[in-house]
Amino acid sequence: MNISSLHTPCYVIDSAALRRNLSILKEVMDSTEAHILLAQKAFSCYGLYPMIAEYLSGATASGLFEARLSHEFMPSRENHIFSPAFKEEEMPEILDICDHIVFNSVKQLVRFAPIARQKGLQTGLRINPEKSTQEGHAIYDPCAEGSRLGTTIEEFEAGLKDYPDMLGLLDGLHFHTLCEQDSDDLELTLDEFETKFQKYLPGMKWVNFGGGHHITRPGYDIDRLKRCIRRMQTGYGLEVYLEPGEAIALNAGYLYTKVLEVQHRKSLDIAILDTSAACHMPDVLEMPYRPPLKDSGEAGEKNFTYRLAGPTCLSGDVIGDYSFDSPLVEGDILRFDDMAIYSMVKNNTFNGMPLPEIDILEEDGSVRTWKRFGYEDFKSRL
């Protein structure tokens, strides 16, 4: 790949790395007969959906537009959808293009499940097992106190009293409690789920473990994951679904950026880039986290340390402090790694920043530009 020919900033999706991840997930599916779905909220580069469809059971959506996307570009695969609350006016199209629909509350289940079942969809309810396994990222904890996501066992059983036929509207139960976690946390969640909902499982067809499983990360305990899957299969005769997002495109994409200017301050040196944390990698500020940067070290680890910052007016548009073997100069191109996930789906045009183009690094080493954005894309979002 000729780096100097890239039009920065740009996301580059590594097709070979994506296929490696998909192969790991396919092995889990083949050895357990579980269904694994792409969670589009993490990765929606639909130009690669045909490859994903070769390996996975389908995709899951968080709303109508994502459901449309998977229906259009993975038409032969399963199409699932969940929302904290569905709009009535969107329901006819959702029911036309989806296979599974998961509701967030008993009220939504009772309101929409009868017509969904008439249309042939399988219907489920997201539950909250009230078992938090998060550390340090409360914003991503669906089991936090006061969470709006999922139905607790107390709410579930109150619903049974109000709607005695409620179980007849359920094909399965869904929980999603993890974020970038290993299968030991899944096992803890499953223990709590089974303790609270065990008596209702024999009447179900499936259970959905949701997302947040870092299955393709080096060191992830895949054997434990398989034991969790088989536990539901052998114990209750349930089909098992998983909905990872990050695991599909983990370490399968890069963000290339150019150094626009180097500033020498009394306390530190600053490199202003043509990419923005706020616009092009918003999780850097939201989580927050420090994205990996090729050939760099921690601040002070190598001879030359710089604060890497974006070109917007936001004073906090800072990516982080990194060190290098040699001084940075204007025109240098840097590569941030693990930029396929939660970047393209979250980026924005604050300050009129151009969206990075999207390139595909093919398995033969060639690069093709898949999407290039300009002024009209900025204008159309306003």
Side-chain angles (χ1 to χ4, degrees):
M1 182 171 65
N2 184 3
I3 294 175
S4 63
S5 67
L6 294 174
H7 182 267
T8 63
C10 62
Y11 303 114
V12 177
I13 310 303
D14 188 333
S15 297
L18 183 67
R19 193 180 295 276
R20 285 196 296 272
N21 287 340
L22 293 169
S23 297
I24 293 170
L25 299 172
K26 184 67 161 58
E27 191 282 325
V28 173
M29 291 173 58
D30 290 343
S31 62
T32 64
E33 298 185 344
H35 306 262
I36 296 183
L37 309 169
L38 163 68
Q40 296 176 91
K41 63 185 178 181
F43 183 71
S44 297
C45 186
Y46 58 86
L48 289 162
Y49 278 17
M51 177 191 288
I52 294 172
E54 294 175 24
Y55 291 85
L56 303 187
S57 299
T60 185
S62 301
L64 174 58
F65 287 176
E66 283 186 349
R68 280 187 185 178
L69 199 65
S70 55
H71 177 69
E72 184 175 354
F73 292 96
M74 281 196 276
S76 65
R77 295 302 186 189
E78 293 186 53
N79 199 11
H80 293 223
I81 190 169
F82 162 80
S83 176
F86 288 98
K87 289 185 174 181
E88 186 169 8
E89 62 267 28
E90 294 180 350
M91 193 57 65
E93 185 175 0
I94 287 172
L95 300 185
D96 280 342
I97 63 177
C98 292
D99 305 296
H100 281 215
I101 182 168
V102 175
F103 301 100
N104 189 58
S105 67
V106 171
K107 185 185 294 185
Q108 287 261 305
L109 174 75
V110 171
R111 180 181 179 187
F112 293 119
I115 187 169
R117 295 171 76 84
Q118 288 175 10
K119 294 283 288 185
L121 278 75
Q122 291 200 32
T123 54
L125 182 68
R126 176 169 175 169
I127 60 94
N128 178 358
E130 301 172 274
K131 178 65 176 179
S132 178
T133 57
Q134 300 288 325
E135 293 183 6
H137 298 306
I139 191 174
Y140 294 109
D141 185 2
C143 295
E145 184 70 26
S147 173
R148 75 190 193 287
L149 297 173
T151 298
T152 65
I153 184 62
E154 181 180 3
E155 292 164 343
F156 186 92
E157 294 185 335
L160 283 174
K161 291 180 180 178
D162 292 336
Y163 308 101
D165 298 328
M166 188 182 86
L167 290 178
L169 299 175
L170 284 173
D171 293 300
L173 297 179
H174 173 292
F175 61 82
H176 173 28
T177 66
L178 306 183
C179 177
E180 299 182 351
Q181 286 167 273
D182 211 319
S183 52
D184 55 343
D185 288 320
L186 169 62
E187 191 171 58
L188 290 173
T189 301
L190 201 56
D191 289 343
E192 193 74 15
F193 168 73
E194 192 171 9
T195 296
K196 290 178 175 176
F197 290 88
Q198 184 176 35
K199 65 181 178 180
Y200 303 109
L201 297 181
M204 302 293 170
K205 294 179 180 177
W206 48 264
V207 61
N208 190 320
F209 291 175
H213 315 279
H214 247 197
I215 301 166
T216 54
R217 184 188 69 208
Y220 180 92
D221 190 346
I222 290 179
D223 288 338
R224 187 192 298 264
L225 170 65
K226 291 178 179 179
R227 291 196 298 271
C228 289
I229 292 170
R230 294 183 179 119
R231 173 174 161 184
M232 293 291 103
Q233 291 170 329
T234 59
Y236 306 99
L238 298 174
E239 291 186 82
V240 176
Y241 286 88
L242 294 94
E243 300 176 342
E246 290 196 10
I248 279 82
L250 189 67
N251 298 314
Y254 320 108
L255 176 55
Y256 285 90
T257 179
K258 185 177 292 185
V259 177
L260 299 179
E261 183 181 73
V262 176
Q263 301 176 347
H264 301 287
R265 305 295 196 206
K266 288 183 180 180
S267 57
L268 78 166
D269 292 334
I270 300 170
I272 298 178
L273 311 180
D274 64 359
T275 195
S276 161
C279 297
H280 305 147
M281 46 177 99
D283 269 351
V284 169
L285 304 183
E286 185 175 298
M287 281 196 72
Y289 87 107
R290 182 180 184 274
L293 179 65
K294 187 176 184 295
D295 298 328
S296 75
E298 297 286 341
E301 181 181 343
K302 295 176 179 284
N303 291 333
F304 302 92
T305 295
Y306 297 86
R307 175 160 296 169
L308 304 184
T312 72
C313 70
L314 178 68
S315 60
D317 190 0
V318 172
I319 300 162
D321 294 352
Y322 297 81
S323 63
F324 303 85
D325 292 321
S326 303
L328 294 181
V329 297
E330 283 87 352
D332 280 348
I333 295 179
L334 308 179
R335 189 187 92 181
F336 289 99
D337 292 337
D338 199 20
M339 281 290 140
I341 50 179
Y342 289 110
S343 53
M344 291 169 283
V345 296
K346 280 191 169 185
N347 63 21
N348 62 80
T349 58
F350 169 67
N351 261 198
M353 286 296 106
L355 296 172
E357 75 175 34
I358 303 172
D359 299 323
I360 307 295
L361 174 59
E362 303 287 12
E363 292 171 280
D364 63 5
S366 63
V367 177
R368 65 180 170 94
T369 298
W370 182 59
K371 287 284 187 73
R372 181 167 286 173
F373 304 94
Y375 169 72
E376 290 300 324
D377 298 287
F378 159 68
K379 180 182 175 184
S380 69
R381 291 167 73 124
L382 297 176

